[in-house]
Amino acid sequence: MQSSALPLGHAAEKESIESFNDLNSKKTHSLLFICNGHGEDVIVAEIIKRFLKKIKNKNIEVLPLVGNGDVFDTIQSKNFRKIGFLKELPSGGFSNQSLKGFLLDLFAGFLIDNLRNFLIVKQKSKHYYKIIAVGDFLPLFFAWSSECEFSFLGTPKSDHTWNSGPGWSLSDLYHKLKGSEWDPWEIFLMASPRCKDLIMRDKITANNLKRKNIHAKYLGNPMMDFVNETNKKKSNIIAFKRIILLIGSRYPEAFKNLDNFLDCLQDFNLANDLIILLPLSINANEIKIHSYLNKYGFIKQSKVRFFIDEDSVWKNKAKYILIGKGKFNLWANMANVGLSNAGTATEQIAGLGIPSLSLPGSGPQFTKSFAKRQSRLLGGSVLVCKDKSILLKNLSLLLREKVYRLKQAKIGKKRMGKSGASKKIVDSININLLS
């Protein structure tokens, strides 16, 4: 990436990841996916894989508006390409969680890079593109501005966040006044005659939009398509109490989350035999992770294995920590309880029936406001803890009381829905946008 001070125009065009050269000569509809979040990237990657299998002759491009879109590097096809000006932002994404995060992103060149990406999208109507936007306002606005026909998957917003719980904050009152978490300007874009397919993440949000004469639908939650519901290797650790530790994928914030959780766990002595599963993102600095484990008295074990594809095993008295890069999908279903300061991963374990506890830090991503919103989104299957003592009390309760744990699990499963939505979404887009 070049400095954001570079001018637009020829230099910028040269730096961007180019589209297919022969699009002008083909009057077939090429597809452009636009997404603006790490969870959205995962959803889009799965949908793209299905399209590549289903429609062999289509050119498919993806424009991630947040981060480098590393998840798309695993897709190997001559008909697929990642485009645009891609950059990891200081906040981990275009931050609306704090003024500090917003300013850091602004100085990192967010606006200039997205203007460049906007100009790329504006050219797509000349080349017979159809657009699938996934996320919230920004990808929706890009798709609407392109003059192309488009579909929209509204993944991050849910009316569960204000329709349940106390509901006395200014934001809750604002959403109740609107009748939806989606804002009037977003609803205006959804009402465009060029929006051929509008898919929401849950039934309550789709129904509230229908009351506003917006033809939204609910086909299930695609986030549940990327985690294994069962795992035979779970039998290797079934005798232990099992916690999955989700620290997030955005560093250095993830290190702070790990430090806070390990500080809590050093005073946790309920279970004689406790396994803590620590799945790490691919970009995690393992040496730094190891330094935190050493800080809290965990020692690497060279002769102990649990055979669940762990990279390493660490022990402190009766507590074991198992580390595995890229092992979340494999390990998610193995835990009794989660300690989670994460976004999409928290929702996924809730959907698997694993209740969790969060301990919000200073952010910039996982703040108190984000955690409270997430808790209400998931119906309380993730509990926000104000401090260490409250977290340990709730952790003890969840591990000890199976009936209470199953009650929380039922709520999470209901809120997230079953797997299989990705296929339904692809079929819907084929019928409504591409036919």
Side-chain angles (χ1 to χ4, degrees):
M1 293 298 303
Q2 297 294 317
S3 167
S4 60
L6 284 174
L8 300 177
H10 179 71
E13 192 69 26
K14 186 177 180 180
E15 290 171 14
S16 70
I17 305 170
E18 296 294 338
S19 302
F20 296 94
N21 294 325
D22 60 348
L23 289 178
N24 288 323
S25 63
K26 293 184 179 181
K27 292 192 176 182
T28 58
H29 291 302
S30 296
L31 305 182
L32 171 64
F33 287 81
I34 307 174
C35 43
N36 70 327
H38 297 276
E40 284 76 11
D41 288 355
V42 175
I43 291 169
V44 168
E46 179 67 19
I47 292 173
I48 287 173
K49 290 173 186 176
R50 290 180 180 273
F51 268 113
L52 288 170
K53 290 178 183 177
K54 200 175 188 73
I55 311 172
K56 300 292 184 182
N57 63 337
K58 294 289 184 184
N59 290 323
I60 299 178
E61 298 177 357
V62 64
L63 174 58
L65 298 178
V66 171
N68 294 318
D70 294 335
V71 68
F72 300 112
D73 296 338
T74 62
I75 301 176
Q76 301 297 320
S77 172
K78 64 181 181 180
N79 294 326
F80 170 75
R81 186 165 298 187
K82 184 168 66 174
I83 68 168
F85 293 88
L86 315 176
K87 179 186 291 184
E88 288 288 352
L89 294 170
S91 72
F94 178 45
S95 178
N96 62 358
Q97 301 296 329
S98 68
L99 178 61
K100 179 182 177 182
F102 172 79
L103 292 174
L104 287 172
D105 288 349
L106 191 66
F107 286 121
F110 168 81
L111 290 182
I112 195 71
D113 288 332
N114 272 282
L115 177 57
R116 290 166 168 172
N117 288 331
F118 178 79
L119 294 177
I120 291 173
V121 174
K122 285 290 287 182
Q123 298 299 314
K124 296 305 180 182
S125 62
K126 299 177 182 178
H127 302 303
Y128 311 102
Y129 272 76
K130 298 288 182 84
I131 294 177
I132 297 99
V134 182
D136 48 25
F137 172 72
L138 200 58
L140 175 61
F141 175 71
F142 274 38
W144 177 83
S145 300
S146 70
E147 299 181 8
C148 301
E149 292 184 339
F150 63 93
S151 292
F152 178 57
L153 278 66
T155 52
K157 291 193 176 187
S158 168
D159 289 345
H160 280 303
T161 59
W162 60 269
N163 200 50
S164 58
W168 295 112
S169 70
L170 287 176
S171 62
D172 291 333
L173 295 173
Y174 172 58
H175 296 322
K176 286 178 182 178
L177 182 65
K178 294 182 300 174
S180 173
E181 191 178 14
W182 293 98
D183 291 313
W185 46 91
E186 294 168 321
I187 293 172
F188 171 79
L189 301 181
M190 293 176 193
S192 168
R194 287 184 287 106
C195 182
K196 301 300 181 182
D197 209 17
L198 189 60
I199 302 168
M200 294 293 113
R201 63 167 290 151
D202 49 46
K203 191 174 291 185
I204 185 176
T205 309
N207 288 341
N208 283 342
L209 286 173
K210 285 177 184 177
R211 292 188 181 98
K212 298 178 177 295
N213 295 319
I214 300 296
H215 300 294
K217 66 180 75 166
Y218 168 63
L219 299 175
N221 194 327
M223 291 181 191
M224 295 313 300
D225 291 351
F226 323 122
V227 285
N228 301 328
E229 293 187 13
T230 58
N231 189 338
K232 292 180 180 179
K233 293 183 178 181
K234 183 178 178 178
S235 61
N236 295 347
I237 58 173
I238 200 72
F240 292 78
K241 297 290 185 182
R242 303 173 304 281
I243 296 171
I244 189 164
L245 198 60
L246 303 176
I247 61 174
S249 59
R250 292 154 182 163
Y251 297 90
E253 184 177 4
F255 293 133
K256 297 177 185 176
N257 293 333
L258 176 61
D259 191 36
N260 288 337
F261 281 135
L262 290 177
D263 180 52
C264 292
L265 287 169
Q266 71 176 339
D267 294 331
F268 184 69
N269 299 305
L270 172 73
N272 291 327
D273 295 303
L274 179 68
I275 280 183
I276 302 159
L277 302 169
L278 179 55
L280 299 174
S281 58
I282 298 300
N283 64 327
N285 182 334
E286 284 190 271
I287 295 175
K288 191 76 179 277
I289 297 291
H290 295 171
S291 71
Y292 280 99
L293 298 184
N294 288 327
K295 174 183 174 182
Y296 289 97
F298 284 89
I299 299 172
K300 189 174 183 180
Q301 306 296 297
S302 58
K303 297 181 180 180
V304 180
R305 298 290 293 171
F306 290 91
F307 302 102
I308 61 168
D309 296 334
E310 69 270 18
D311 297 335
S312 61
V313 177
W314 299 71
K315 185 180 181 183
N316 180 356
K317 298 179 182 177
K319 301 186 187 81
Y320 291 93
I321 289 184
L322 277 56
I323 291 179
K325 266 194 174 183
K327 296 297 193 301
F328 172 76
N329 288 353
L330 183 66
W331 289 355
N333 56 65
M334 292 185 173
N336 302 124
V337 180
L339 295 180
S340 179
N341 277 15
T344 302
T346 305
E347 296 180 34
Q348 288 172 313
I349 64 170
L352 291 173
I354 300 169
S356 61
L357 307 168
S358 66
L359 187 66
S362 56
Q365 286 292 320
F366 202 88
T367 59
K368 288 182 180 179
S369 61
F370 180 92
K372 288 179 180 178
R373 181 187 180 279
Q374 184 185 67
S375 181
R376 292 174 66 177
L377 170 68
L378 297 173
S381 60
V382 54
L383 299 174
V384 184
C385 302
K386 292 182 180 179
D387 55 41
K388 177 179 176 177
S389 63
I390 294 175
L391 182 138
L392 290 177
K393 180 181 177 181
N394 281 298
L395 179 59
S396 177
L397 180 64
L398 283 169
L399 287 175
R400 189 177 63 247
E401 301 292 340
K402 186 176 181 180
V403 173
Y404 177 65
R405 190 166 70 240
L406 292 176
K407 180 182 177 182
Q408 296 299 99
K410 186 178 180 180
I411 296 170
K413 284 183 174 182
K414 185 177 180 180
R415 285 292 172 94
M416 288 300 294
K418 296 180 179 179
S419 60
S422 296
K423 180 182 182 303
K424 294 177 183 178
I425 289 170
V426 168
D427 291 342
S428 181
I429 292 172
N430 266 324
I431 293 168
N432 297 297
L433 180 67
L434 304 182
S435 296

